[in-house]
Amino acid sequence: MPDWKKVRDDFPALHQQVNGKPLVYLDNAATTQRPRIVIDALSRFYERDNANVHRGLHALSMRATDAFEGARARVAKFINAAAPEEIIFTRGTTESINLVANTWAVANLKKGDVILLTEMEHHSNLVPWQLAAQRTGAQLRYLPVTGDEGLLDLSQLDRVLTPEVKLFAFTHMSNTLGTINPAAELCARAKKVGAVTVIDGAQSIGHMPVDVRALGCDFYAFSGHKMGASTGIGALYGRRALLDAMPPYQGGGGMITNVEFFESRWKPSPERFEAGTPNFADAVTLGLACDYLDGLGRAEIARHDGQLAQLAYEKLSTLPGIRLLGPKSGRGGLVSFAFNEVHAHDIVTFADEDGIALRGGHHCNQPLMRKLGLTGTTRASFYVYNTEAEIDALVASLRRILKFFSGN
Amino acid sequence: MPDWKKVRDDFPALHQQVNGKPLVYLDNAATTQRPRIVIDALSRFYERDNANVHRGLHALSMRATDAFEGARARVAKFINAAAPEEIIFTRGTTESINLVANTWAVANLKKGDVILLTEMEHHSNLVPWQLAAQRTGAQLRYLPVTGDEGLLDLSQLDRVLTPEVKLFAFTHMSNTLGTINPAAELCARAKKVGAVTVIDGAQSIGHMPVDVRALGCDFYAFSGHKMGASTGIGALYGRRALLDAMPPYQGGGGMITNVEFFESRWKPSPERFEAGTPNFADAVTLGLACDYLDGLGRAEIARHDGQLAQLAYEKLSTLPGIRLLGPKSGRGGLVSFAFNEVHAHDIVTFADEDGIALRGGHHCNQPLMRKLGLTGTTRASFYVYNTEAEIDALVASLRRILKFFSGN
Amino acid sequence: MSDLSDLYQQVILDHNRRPRNRGKLPTANRVAHGDNPTCGDQCNVYLRVDGDKIAEISFDGSGCAISQASASLMTTQLKGRTAPEAQKLYDEFHHIVTTGEAPEEISDLAAFAGVHAFPARIKCATLGWHAALNALKGDAAPATTESHND
Amino acid sequence: MSDLSDLYQQVILDHNRRPRNRGKLPTANRVAHGDNPTCGDQCNVYLRVDGDKIAEISFDGSGCAISQASASLMTTQLKGRTAPEAQKLYDEFHHIVTTGEAPEEISDLAAFAGVHAFPARIKCATLGWHAALNALKGDAAPATTESHND
Ligand SMILES: Cc1ncc(COP(=O)(O)O)c(C=O)c1O
Ligand SMILES: Cc1ncc(COP(=O)(O)O)c(C=O)c1O
């Protein structure tokens, strides 16, 4: 088991004071902090190996290409893809999902087809499908969420997962509820009706073991910045057979075999989907973040984050008037809650005064919020460096806030 | 005037040996090196201010947001945009052009309309328009290049720039020929027929003063990695009036005012076009690169790079059998050439043995190459840290290569 | 907590707990909706304009203490004002929340001077005002604090 | 320049300067095109297959010394071979250019052993071979060195 106390030393940003208090960073679902090895690797890359990739035959360019393609192979291994060519580098989860919506969906969907989503989707796994539906004439449909306990209502799955469903996109873990969805089961059910599956892995990728072949999904989208890598890099996993049949995404350098003035031919994946100079330096950090997380052990991380979340859930439930969202047990590493008396933004501002970084608002889940009769929640989300003591600090801070607003 | 010798000290990557020789980095048109202040700022950002932007109210998130939006304002000032909201952050030039092709072009072009390009466009300013033409039914048309001297044939402009032309996209500076196009004149002529203009600024942005309002263009696309900033960040400038009327680009978090299960409303620019977590850390480096280049003075940089290129052109012209491309004078900071006897890739491999980084191939200009009867060229491209001595090293290395391949 | 007590002054806490003129206005002849997409705050402002004056005004919606208190206090200040007067008051209010400088005479609005130390919260304080000014202009489009002129 | 002289051995320079079997083959009954989109090298291979043997073979195209010499040398090696023999020869060649290990008996192909020290150039050396094998398979699609099985 990792020595969790030591893990904190790996993250320079944690060791600072905010408003005169030691920083308690509980906003990991928005973005994690980066370990020292990631930060240093970025400097080192720019100091030594920096050159454009792929089309270069000089030493720096070959080093950069090796590092970039090495990162792709590392990411493939991280999620057990069949080959590096199944990994397309993108800016992050949002772009990965838009890529599928603008390629596979546009080429394969038509009027009468249905895109199935769930009521707990982040805007990034919802709006792209609204746009794709507008463009193709397909319709959206939603698998309901049960209520405050935030589970997918699987009793409704047969009703909504009909043969018209050509694509089923759902989140592996909810960024608001903390729910971990039964992704393998959902993929198996989708396969039965012939629907292609897209998993939004933004919240799962850095927090638990992820094996795309065991999950049986067709696409898996995720962001590097939520797993310790730098910003501006993420990936889309796609099954080779699907990728090879897909039209290109963006046009430009690097994705063609042949360009004439009036027509062009495309390279296979991944190049077909990576027009222009890729974000090669940040891609290298994604490979290193994989190393770092595997060094800790992803099953260990899942246990660590889940235990903190469970503890937070229990301690928070002692606060007067609190409304806690998401499952009572088996949750991922976050807790989200609301009070009638105090708005989430006031809580975040007050907690910040205690050095505690929280997030308040709709968390890009407006439709879910509306369904639950909420305008927003306050969310505390955990990662490998968070501690029980930090949860105590959070609870103490919330008590002070409630006191202030209740006026005594 | 900057002390150009001292400038070299600002770039850590230059101070290394390659194959036992001091690195001579002449592949700047592919990507430049990064100054120390950019590399350090990135580390510092991740060590201190790292948090997701926009939706956060805690200290780190506010600092990150200020840095990110500060970079936007800095970039706006760098190109004299009317407002920061006219700057959309993208991965780079390629994505910027694809953004216009997928929003403005798709919303405004139809059968019978013409997209005017030039024969010297990079694939990144050519393939996106092929895709947009396919999608909308518009047609492509090309303004010819005169031949090896590589000028736009302005005598043909009236013939091709007819009222059917709804969009005119052209490069500010050619990445293969070194030609600097008369962008302001081309924009003025386009305006007369009511065509929207898109300038590919990949090669100009870091090399000369750029004032989008003086140019009179509607869109201006560029990459940070070609101006000393980190990879994965670039920008699209768009005129406010056009941006406000454009449909969104990608769907996701951050770009909406309101999401319902079946429809959504969009924020204004720039958020409408920046779905998902933006590459905020790298955006910060783009602002710093602007500071760095303005510190040297962009008119000075243009003079420096142009003089080196002119000198290289003259010294190279003494080599037996060389075919030099591009204008005899007034060129930007690069020289591109070919020999009948020795292929570009063999040259690049040999030069690398002398520590000299060159690029060989079609430079993402296949149609231009075909027109000129070439399959590729060797390109030496210069930046603020290159010296006359490095040009002498290049010429000496080429002499050795020619000798080797001529077999005596 | 000194900055925080400046931000959450008694006046604000009071308006947050007991908002004035809250609810729909059955006799309204102007309505505008405002939202702050960054945080999800929403605010509707209802006006009955009589001649050139705001005869009645109310608001509803949801949001943080700052936005709710600000909208509540605003309704008490705008009643009986003309459009130019309302604009002038908003300009003064905007000056207060962005600079922290509160001129003597504008007593209650000065409670919002503490906002200037929390730039991310300025949009909360101005949300109701944006909606009210839009309603006065008869502008049908929802006010959003992402608007360019903020 | 020791690595370089290993890369550009006399055999290679010779084949580059005086390519064998270069040009279209009027009697060809199989053709395939290969390209290396990374660098723009192109190669057409023309075959006349008689029974199960390659009766005649030629190539044209453009590219670096490595790709041209490799295609030229290949044509001299493949003439008279069956498809399985050609595949076996390619496998040996691929082993040579990726590892630098050249078994005694394969004399001329061993000239390409130096390529292994320049991984970026391996695709140049195999371009013509990819096209030839595709032509043998009667595969109409252009061979590209970006193919997954490279
Ligand atoms: C003229 C020109 N346009 C567009 C591009 C594409 O830029 P990027 O690869 O950064 O998207 C380049 C550089 O490769 C270029 O030189
Ligand atoms: C569940 C979920 N999906 C998608 C996203 C979007 O990720 P990104 O903003 O990195 O594109 C997020 C994070 O914001 C998320 O939590």
Side-chain angles (χ1 to χ4, degrees):
Chain A
M1 214 179 76
D3 180 347
W4 296 110
K5 288 243 174 58
K6 278 222 179 117
V7 165
R8 285 186 75 81
D9 298 340
D10 297 338
F11 292 82
L14 298 176
H15 307 280
Q16 63 176 302
Q17 305 248 317
V18 163
N19 293 320
K21 309 275 164 50
L23 170 64
V24 175
Y25 187 76
L26 300 180
D27 192 19
N28 293 289
T31 201
T32 62
Q33 296 301 333
R34 332 274 170 232
R36 163 72 53 211
I37 58 154
V38 158
I39 301 173
D40 288 352
L42 205 49
S43 302
R44 212 165 43 237
F45 184 89
Y46 285 133
E47 285 165 13
R48 293 201 319 213
D49 306 324
N50 175 61
N52 212 325
V53 292
H54 287 321
R55 289 176 296 276
L57 295 170
H58 58 81
L60 267 61
S61 177
M62 290 186 286
R63 271 190 250 150
T65 303
D66 286 350
F68 177 60
E69 293 302 333
R72 193 191 305 281
R74 182 65 187 88
V75 170
K77 195 170 147 233
F78 192 69
I79 60 171
N80 196 30
E85 289 80 6
E86 295 186 327
I87 303 298
I88 299 159
F89 284 122
T90 64
R91 181 169 30 248
T93 310
T94 302
E95 188 177 31
S96 295
I97 294 170
N98 277 274
L99 197 162
V100 181
N102 282 300
T103 54
W104 190 90
V106 163
N108 291 282
L109 296 184
K110 53 178 198 315
K111 210 170 140 71
D113 292 341
V114 169
I115 299 170
L116 181 61
L117 306 173
T118 87
E119 287 184 345
M120 65 169 77
E121 297 315 313
H122 186 280
H123 294 166
S124 289
N125 198 26
L126 199 162
V127 182
W129 306 118
Q130 289 185 342
L131 296 173
Q134 272 173 28
R135 198 168 152 193
T136 62
Q139 274 190 332
L140 299 183
R141 191 183 283 169
Y142 288 87
L143 177 62
V145 165
T146 54
D148 275 15
E149 78 274 46
L151 300 173
L152 290 180
D153 186 350
L154 296 181
S155 73
Q156 309 259 7
L157 193 56
D158 277 335
R159 186 179 62 77
V160 295
L161 188 56
T162 57
E164 299 85 61
V165 175
K166 292 292 172 326
L167 185 143
F168 182 17
F170 59 86
T171 192
H172 201 168
M173 171 177 153
S174 160
N175 67 309
T176 296
L177 302 164
T179 316
I180 298 172
N181 288 319
E185 182 188 340
L186 295 174
C187 289
R189 296 280 287 271
K191 202 174 256 172
K192 281 203 189 136
V193 300
V196 157
T197 44
V198 180
I199 300 185
D200 174 349
Q203 293 300 335
S204 40
I205 188 69
H207 293 266
M208 58 178 88
V210 170
D211 177 333
V212 289
R213 284 189 280 175
L215 288 169
C217 59
D218 293 303
F219 296 100
Y220 196 94
F222 58 95
S223 306
H225 72 93
K226 295 191 199 271
M227 56 177 275
S230 46
T231 64
I233 193 75
L236 173 68
Y237 158 80
R239 241 184 352 106
R240 168 63 75 53
L242 292 174
L243 294 178
D244 281 347
M246 271 155 52
Y249 168 51
Q250 303 186 330
M255 49 76 78
I256 52 83
T257 58
N258 188 58
V259 178
E260 313 257 351
F261 281 126
F262 298 98
E263 58 174 4
S264 301
R265 290 206 318 266
W266 323 124
K267 286 189 191 169
S269 180
E271 285 87 356
R272 184 182 303 173
F273 308 106
E274 293 183 0
T277 300
N279 187 356
F280 50 84
D282 289 325
V284 171
T285 73
L286 188 55
L288 285 166
C290 293
D291 288 343
Y292 184 80
L293 297 182
D294 275 341
L296 296 178
R298 278 180 282 163
E300 299 286 352
I301 296 173
R303 193 156 30 238
H304 173 269
D305 294 356
Q307 276 170 2
L308 279 186
Q310 193 62 34
L311 188 74
Y313 186 91
E314 282 155 22
K315 294 204 172 182
L316 288 169
S317 65
T318 65
L319 293 177
I322 197 166
R323 178 173 168 193
L324 280 154
L325 296 187
K328 293 213 163 37
S329 66
R331 60 170 55 237
L334 63 85
V335 180
S336 167
F337 51 90
F339 296 94
N340 265 338
E341 314 302 314
V342 195
H343 188 273
H345 291 131
D346 299 311
I347 294 179
V348 173
T349 294
F350 267 80
D352 186 52
E353 206 70 15
D354 287 337
I356 301 171
L358 298 173
R359 196 141 292 232
H362 54 63
H363 313 296
C364 297
N365 274 149
Q366 283 185 3
L368 175 68
M369 290 291 154
R370 223 171 276 124
K371 174 184 164 121
L372 299 180
L374 287 161
T375 56
T377 69
T378 303
R379 180 183 70 190
S381 52
F382 309 106
Y383 208 30
V384 293
Y385 32 70
N386 291 121
T387 64
E388 289 191 26
E390 290 180 322
I391 290 172
D392 291 335
L394 167 66
V395 175
S397 182
L398 287 173
R399 280 198 197 284
R400 276 195 297 277
I401 295 166
L402 291 172
K403 193 157 166 239
F404 182 91
F405 277 92
S406 73
N408 43 60
Chain B
M1 213 179 75
D3 181 346
W4 297 109
K5 289 244 174 56
K6 279 222 178 115
V7 165
R8 286 186 74 79
D9 299 338
D10 297 339
F11 292 83
L14 299 176
H15 307 281
Q16 64 176 303
Q17 305 247 317
V18 163
N19 293 319
K21 310 276 166 51
L23 170 65
V24 175
Y25 187 78
L26 300 180
D27 192 20
N28 294 289
T31 200
T32 62
Q33 296 301 334
R34 333 271 170 234
R36 164 72 53 209
I37 57 155
V38 159
I39 301 173
D40 288 352
L42 206 49
S43 301
R44 213 167 40 240
F45 183 88
Y46 285 133
E47 286 165 13
R48 293 200 320 212
D49 306 325
N50 175 62
N52 212 325
V53 293
H54 286 322
R55 289 176 295 276
L57 295 169
H58 59 79
L60 268 60
S61 177
M62 290 187 284
R63 271 190 249 150
T65 303
D66 286 350
F68 178 61
E69 292 302 333
R72 192 191 305 281
R74 182 66 187 88
V75 170
K77 194 170 148 230
F78 191 70
I79 60 170
N80 196 30
E85 288 81 5
E86 294 185 326
I87 303 298
I88 299 158
F89 284 121
T90 64
R91 180 169 32 248
T93 310
T94 302
E95 187 177 33
S96 295
I97 294 170
N98 277 275
L99 197 162
V100 181
N102 282 301
T103 54
W104 190 91
V106 163
N108 289 283
L109 296 184
K110 54 178 197 314
K111 212 170 140 70
D113 292 340
V114 170
I115 299 169
L116 182 62
L117 306 173
T118 88
E119 288 183 343
M120 65 168 78
E121 297 314 313
H122 186 281
H123 294 166
S124 290
N125 198 26
L126 200 162
V127 181
W129 306 118
Q130 288 185 345
L131 296 173
Q134 273 172 28
R135 195 166 154 194
T136 62
Q139 274 189 331
L140 299 183
R141 191 184 282 169
Y142 288 88
L143 177 63
V145 165
T146 54
D148 275 15
E149 78 274 46
L151 300 173
L152 290 180
D153 187 348
L154 296 180
S155 73
Q156 308 260 9
L157 194 57
D158 278 336
R159 185 178 62 77
V160 294
L161 189 55
T162 57
E164 300 84 61
V165 175
K166 292 291 171 332
L167 184 143
F168 182 17
F170 59 86
T171 191
H172 201 169
M173 171 177 154
S174 160
N175 67 309
T176 297
L177 302 162
T179 315
I180 298 172
N181 289 319
E185 184 188 338
L186 294 175
C187 289
R189 296 280 286 273
K191 200 173 258 172
K192 280 201 189 137
V193 301
V196 158
T197 44
V198 180
I199 300 184
D200 174 349
Q203 293 299 335
S204 40
I205 187 71
H207 293 266
M208 58 178 86
V210 170
D211 177 334
V212 289
R213 281 189 282 177
L215 289 170
C217 59
D218 293 304
F219 295 101
Y220 196 94
F222 58 96
S223 306
H225 72 94
K226 294 189 199 275
M227 56 176 279
S230 45
T231 64
I233 192 75
L236 173 69
Y237 158 80
R239 239 182 354 103
R240 168 63 75 53
L242 292 174
L243 294 179
D244 280 347
M246 272 155 52
Y249 168 50
Q250 304 186 330
M255 49 76 78
I256 53 85
T257 58
N258 188 56
V259 177
E260 313 256 351
F261 281 125
F262 298 98
E263 59 174 4
S264 300
R265 289 207 318 267
W266 324 122
K267 286 188 190 171
S269 179
E271 284 88 357
R272 184 183 304 176
F273 307 108
E274 296 182 358
T277 300
N279 187 354
F280 51 83
D282 289 324
V284 171
T285 73
L286 189 55
L288 284 166
C290 293
D291 288 344
Y292 184 79
L293 296 181
D294 276 341
L296 297 178
R298 276 179 285 163
E300 299 287 350
I301 295 171
R303 193 157 30 238
H304 172 269
D305 294 356
Q307 276 170 3
L308 280 187
Q310 193 62 36
L311 189 74
Y313 186 90
E314 283 156 20
K315 294 202 172 183
L316 288 169
S317 64
T318 65
L319 294 176
I322 196 166
R323 179 174 168 194
L324 280 153
L325 296 187
K328 293 213 165 33
S329 67
R331 63 168 56 235
L334 64 87
V335 181
S336 169
F337 51 91
F339 297 94
N340 264 339
E341 313 303 314
V342 196
H343 189 272
H345 291 132
D346 298 313
I347 294 178
V348 173
T349 294
F350 267 80
D352 186 51
E353 207 68 16
D354 287 338
I356 302 172
L358 298 173
R359 194 140 295 228
H362 54 62
H363 313 297
C364 297
N365 273 164
Q366 284 185 1
L368 176 68
M369 289 291 154
R370 223 171 273 126
K371 172 181 166 126
L372 299 178
L374 288 160
T375 56
T377 69
T378 305
R379 181 182 70 189
S381 53
F382 310 106
Y383 208 31
V384 293
Y385 32 70
N386 291 121
T387 65
E388 288 191 27
E390 289 181 320
I391 290 172
D392 292 333
L394 168 66
V395 174
S397 180
L398 288 172
R399 279 196 200 284
R400 277 194 299 277
I401 295 166
L402 291 172
K403 193 156 166 243
F404 182 90
F405 277 91
S406 72
N408 44 59
Chain C
M1 285 227 183
S2 80
D3 270 6
L4 275 182
S5 340
D6 278 356
L7 178 61
Y8 294 95
Q9 297 212 359
Q10 274 313 321
V11 180
I12 294 180
L13 291 177
D14 179 56
H15 272 272
N16 180 45
R17 243 174 264 137
R18 299 186 303 113
R20 323 295 196 266
N21 305 307
R22 193 182 163 93
K24 284 203 168 51
L25 189 68
T27 56
N29 53 13
R30 304 279 176 84
V31 186
H33 174 76
D35 57 27
N36 180 347
T38 304
C39 57
D41 285 2
Q42 309 234 350
C43 182
N44 295 302
V45 173
Y46 307 88
L47 299 181
R48 188 166 62 78
V49 179
D50 226 0
D52 65 350
K53 285 217 168 66
I54 298 171
E56 284 184 276
I57 177 167
S58 75
F59 82 102
D60 61 17
S62 67
C64 63
I66 307 296
S67 75
Q68 298 302 297
S70 172
S72 166
L73 183 62
M74 173 190 76
T75 61
T76 67
Q77 302 280 318
L78 285 187
K79 193 164 170 178
R81 304 278 189 170
T82 64
E85 286 167 357
Q87 179 66 48
K88 184 158 171 285
L89 218 52
Y90 170 68
D91 292 343
E92 288 165 356
F93 179 70
H94 190 260
H95 183 79
I96 292 171
V97 295
T98 51
T99 64
E101 295 163 18
E104 286 292 310
E105 66 272 26
I106 310 174
S107 51
D108 268 1
L109 294 183
F112 286 86
V115 173
H116 92 280
F118 298 82
R121 307 302 298 275
I122 291 172
K123 288 180 173 182
C124 308
T126 57
L127 178 64
W129 288 87
H130 280 292
L133 294 180
N134 274 0
L136 266 179
K137 282 188 213 134
D139 194 337
T144 154
T145 54
E146 301 288 314
S147 68
H148 304 310
N149 41 25
D150 187 47
Chain D
M1 284 223 184
S2 78
D3 270 6
L4 275 182
S5 338
D6 278 355
L7 179 61
Y8 293 96
Q9 297 211 358
Q10 275 311 322
V11 182
I12 294 180
L13 291 176
D14 178 54
H15 273 272
N16 181 43
R17 242 174 264 137
R18 300 185 304 113
R20 323 294 198 267
N21 306 308
R22 192 184 164 90
K24 283 205 170 50
L25 187 69
T27 56
N29 54 13
R30 303 278 176 83
V31 186
H33 173 77
D35 56 27
N36 180 345
T38 305
C39 57
D41 286 2
Q42 309 235 348
C43 183
N44 295 302
V45 173
Y46 307 88
L47 301 180
R48 187 166 63 75
V49 178
D50 226 0
D52 66 347
K53 286 219 168 67
I54 298 172
E56 285 186 274
I57 177 167
S58 76
F59 81 101
D60 63 13
S62 65
C64 63
I66 307 297
S67 76
Q68 297 301 296
S70 170
S72 167
L73 183 62
M74 173 190 76
T75 60
T76 67
Q77 302 280 319
L78 285 187
K79 195 164 169 179
R81 306 277 189 171
T82 63
E85 287 168 356
Q87 178 67 49
K88 184 156 171 285
L89 219 52
Y90 171 68
D91 292 343
E92 288 165 356
F93 180 71
H94 191 261
H95 183 77
I96 292 172
V97 296
T98 50
T99 64
E101 296 162 17
E104 286 291 309
E105 66 273 27
I106 311 174
S107 53
D108 267 4
L109 293 183
F112 286 87
V115 173
H116 91 279
F118 298 82
R121 307 303 297 276
I122 292 171
K123 288 180 175 181
C124 308
T126 57
L127 178 63
W129 288 87
H130 280 292
L133 295 180
N134 274 0
L136 267 179
K137 281 188 216 136
D139 195 337
T144 156
T145 55
E146 301 289 315
S147 69
H148 303 308
N149 39 25
D150 188 48

